[in-house]
Amino acid sequence: MKYIEPVKSAVLFLLVMLSVVLTFIIWTYTPDYKFIEQTEGKEILIDAQKNLEDVIKPYKAIYRAEDEFTGTVSNSAMKDIMNAFKGWNILELVRVNNEISSDYVNELIRANNRMTVFFAGEIPFSAFSSIFQFADKELPETTFNRMIIDWSQYNNKELQIFFVSSNNKSLLRSHVSIANAHQFVSDIVEPSKQYGVFKEVERDGYTSLYVANDKIESVKYTYYIVDLPLESFKNVLFTDPNIVQSNVESSTSEKYTDGMSLMTIDKRLKSLNYVYPAAESSERTEPSKLLNSSFEFINEHGGFTADYRYVSTSTSKNQLDYQLYLQGYPVYSDQATTRITTVWGDNRIFRYKRPYFSLDMDISEQEIKELPSGAEIVEKIHTLNNIVLSDIDEIVLGYYLTKEENESLFNLEPRWFVIRNGAWILLTPDMLGGVKNGLE
């Protein structure tokens, strides 16, 4: 019995030391992060990722020389122009006017030895930072949708550029120092002498429109389409795809929800509409941040599944739109969605609407369609009661998409369209009256 107390003391000491050792081990434990990294899920890509310059492209270029306009909407010409811009050293940007008049813009474009490059949407200067070399470290938080390039002084290895914003009525000017101005003239300016003649359509108090003066030949296409995997969009858009519930509401409608966000599928228009209500925000986002956020969100999951191009923005709604293009021409339809729309919210996407189909294979025979010239279209618009030239933004050649009875086939026919307040209006044969457009 005399050894009981020493034994109890020894056992208590051992228990205390064991507790100290275990506590030390817990405090100093470091998990094997390499193992954790190996178990991370793979990135979900619906299609290949793109560069920002792949979705920011001009749709038209016109040239003024010897008091005559020539121009092109050729896809290859637009690529050549954007390639020619790469590496340009843009010297100091000078704000010339914050309330530029339409007449002054027309005069800038009308001067000889100048070319004007047209963009569908207002572009923040920062979006061109991967193309141009800007001398200014801090770029202005403003936008432009036309670039007027003056090559009259190119012998001095310098070009003058005007950046015009139709929305903001602003004008900025700069000079470009390029290593080989002669090459720019030979590669970009000289080919314009072979382009078709363009007509200036003057409008009192408004900027002019510029349309082709000759009839246009274009091709009708028929494409097989494929549906993009809705499961992939579900995995991309929802935080925890495993808890998402789906509900087939009808033969043309299906919904997915996790209780916080909703994705609605419209099988008739082949579109999906995702919304996360908690992110809704009335705070206006700066144009540069808005474009970057929208582009990165779509590009992270390879969402530019065809030739989609940035075409418009509404900063009051934090909304950006990307239009489907084919062979350099916009594609419009009332039978299927052909536009990607994003609405940015509180530090994340609020709304995302887009097509879930892709044009897979052209199965058409070469079918040439002759369309009236832009000048003829303008004359016909003068006779219409529901369209006034002063109210429209642009007259464009594009493709009108229709479905065949076999809904896996889409027809794309070349047509003339009017763009008004960002929306398209198809100029039908009935509206055009006696003008034959080869599509009846």
Side-chain angles (χ1 to χ4, degrees):
M1 297 293 291
K2 65 179 181 180
Y3 296 109
I4 290 178
E5 289 302 322
V7 170
K8 288 169 63 178
S9 297
V11 171
L12 180 62
F13 175 77
L14 289 173
L15 290 173
V16 170
M17 292 305 296
L18 180 62
S19 176
V20 170
V21 171
L22 290 174
T23 301
F24 176 77
I25 292 173
I26 292 171
W27 284 353
T28 58
Y29 172 71
T30 302
D32 187 353
Y33 286 111
K34 290 183 180 180
F35 176 76
I36 293 175
E37 290 173 357
Q38 290 172 355
T39 62
E40 289 181 354
K42 292 183 179 180
E43 183 181 26
I44 299 173
L45 285 177
I46 296 169
D47 205 341
Q49 293 178 318
K50 297 187 177 183
N51 297 317
L52 183 58
E53 60 203 68
D54 294 325
V55 301
I56 297 181
K57 296 179 182 178
Y59 68 91
K60 177 169 62 179
I62 61 169
Y63 301 76
R64 180 73 169 184
E66 298 179 358
D67 297 324
E68 182 179 65
F69 283 110
T70 58
T72 181
V73 295
S74 160
N75 200 31
S76 60
M78 299 304 110
K79 289 180 180 178
D80 290 342
I81 289 171
M82 291 297 288
N83 287 333
F85 288 160
K86 288 183 178 179
W88 279 14
N89 295 309
I90 305 296
L91 306 181
E92 183 183 8
L93 286 165
V94 178
R95 189 175 292 274
V96 179
N97 199 321
N98 284 329
E99 196 60 41
I100 190 172
S101 70
S102 299
D103 289 341
Y104 189 65
V105 174
N106 293 336
E107 288 299 326
L108 285 175
I109 295 174
R110 204 177 289 143
N112 280 320
N113 299 322
R114 287 181 178 175
M115 65 177 289
T116 303
V117 182
F118 295 78
F119 295 87
E122 293 276 341
I123 301 173
F125 278 91
S126 61
F128 265 56
S129 59
S130 63
I131 300 172
F132 291 154
Q133 302 293 323
F134 288 100
D136 296 341
K137 293 183 179 179
E138 293 188 9
L139 297 174
E141 188 57 65
T142 187
T143 60
F144 64 92
N145 66 336
R146 298 184 184 187
M147 289 174 55
I148 304 171
I149 303 169
D150 182 341
W151 71 80
S152 59
Q153 300 297 320
Y154 78 91
N155 285 327
N156 297 328
K157 293 188 177 181
E158 244 186 29
L159 305 173
Q160 184 175 210
I161 300 184
F162 299 93
F163 297 93
V164 178
S165 168
S166 299
N167 285 2
N168 303 325
K169 306 295 182 185
S170 64
L171 173 66
L172 282 80
R173 183 185 66 232
S174 182
H175 288 81
V176 181
S177 174
I178 55 179
N180 194 339
H182 291 281
Q183 184 175 352
F184 168 77
V185 172
S186 63
D187 292 348
I188 304 300
V189 176
E190 287 296 324
S192 69
K193 296 177 182 178
Q194 307 301 320
Y195 295 152
V197 173
F198 266 54
K199 178 182 179 180
E200 179 183 7
V201 182
E202 298 183 52
R203 306 180 293 174
D204 289 339
Y206 297 88
T207 53
S208 296
L209 301 174
Y210 304 90
V211 295
N213 207 43
D214 300 322
K215 292 185 183 296
I216 296 171
E217 288 189 347
S218 190
V219 179
K220 176 185 173 182
Y221 294 98
T222 299
Y223 270 84
Y224 270 123
I225 66 159
V226 293
D227 287 350
L228 301 172
L230 293 176
E231 190 72 14
S232 294
F233 283 107
K234 185 191 79 171
N235 293 336
V236 164
L237 296 173
F238 291 94
T239 304
D240 185 356
N242 294 320
I243 66 171
V244 174
Q245 300 292 319
S246 63
N247 179 33
V248 178
E249 296 197 327
S250 69
S251 60
T252 61
S253 178
E254 188 174 353
K255 290 186 177 180
Y256 296 77
T257 183
D258 61 357
M260 291 290 291
S261 51
L262 175 69
M263 183 172 77
T264 305
I265 307 301
D266 185 333
K267 295 181 181 179
R268 183 179 60 87
L269 296 176
K270 288 198 173 291
S271 69
L272 67 83
N273 186 6
Y274 170 85
V275 62
Y276 185 78
E280 186 173 13
S281 174
S282 59
E283 185 176 346
R284 180 181 177 275
T285 305
E286 292 179 340
S288 58
K289 182 180 178 181
L290 185 59
L291 178 58
N292 287 334
S293 298
S294 170
F295 173 79
E296 288 175 4
F297 165 75
I298 299 172
N299 203 42
E300 278 177 358
H301 59 265
F304 292 109
T305 53
D307 185 7
Y308 285 97
R309 302 186 186 181
Y310 165 63
V311 292
S312 66
T313 183
S314 172
T315 52
S316 62
K317 299 178 181 177
N318 289 339
Q319 176 176 317
L320 264 86
D321 295 308
Y322 303 85
Q323 185 68 48
L324 174 64
Y325 273 67
L326 177 68
Q327 304 294 334
Y329 297 101
V331 178
Y332 303 113
S333 178
D334 50 17
Q335 297 185 19
T337 298
T338 61
R339 179 171 286 200
I340 297 176
T341 297
T342 62
V343 180
W344 198 250
D346 186 9
N347 293 319
R348 61 156 292 158
I349 195 71
F350 164 58
R351 185 180 297 278
Y352 180 40
K353 184 175 182 180
R354 60 161 300 134
Y356 66 82
F357 68 87
S358 177
L359 300 175
D360 183 48
M361 183 185 299
D362 174 25
I363 64 167
S364 58
E365 297 180 1
Q366 196 79 345
E367 188 175 351
I368 306 296
K369 298 289 184 179
E370 184 181 271
L371 281 78
S373 68
E376 289 179 85
I377 294 299
V378 169
E379 291 303 315
K380 282 298 175 180
I381 289 176
H382 280 301
T383 68
L384 300 178
N385 296 322
N386 61 334
I387 300 177
V388 181
L389 274 178
S390 59
D391 291 342
I392 69 178
D393 305 319
E394 187 61 285
I395 301 171
V396 300
L397 184 67
Y399 283 103
Y400 185 59
L401 183 153
T402 57
K403 297 178 183 178
E404 289 197 359
E405 289 185 12
N406 176 357
E407 293 199 357
S408 293
L409 295 178
F410 282 0
N411 291 316
L412 294 106
E413 299 187 77
R415 295 287 190 94
W416 280 106
F417 299 84
V418 161
I419 308 299
R420 183 170 62 187
N421 297 324
W424 58 270
I425 301 172
L426 172 65
L427 296 177
T428 64
D430 288 341
M431 294 170 66
L432 297 176
V435 175
K436 295 181 179 180
N437 65 2
L439 298 173
E440 292 88 345

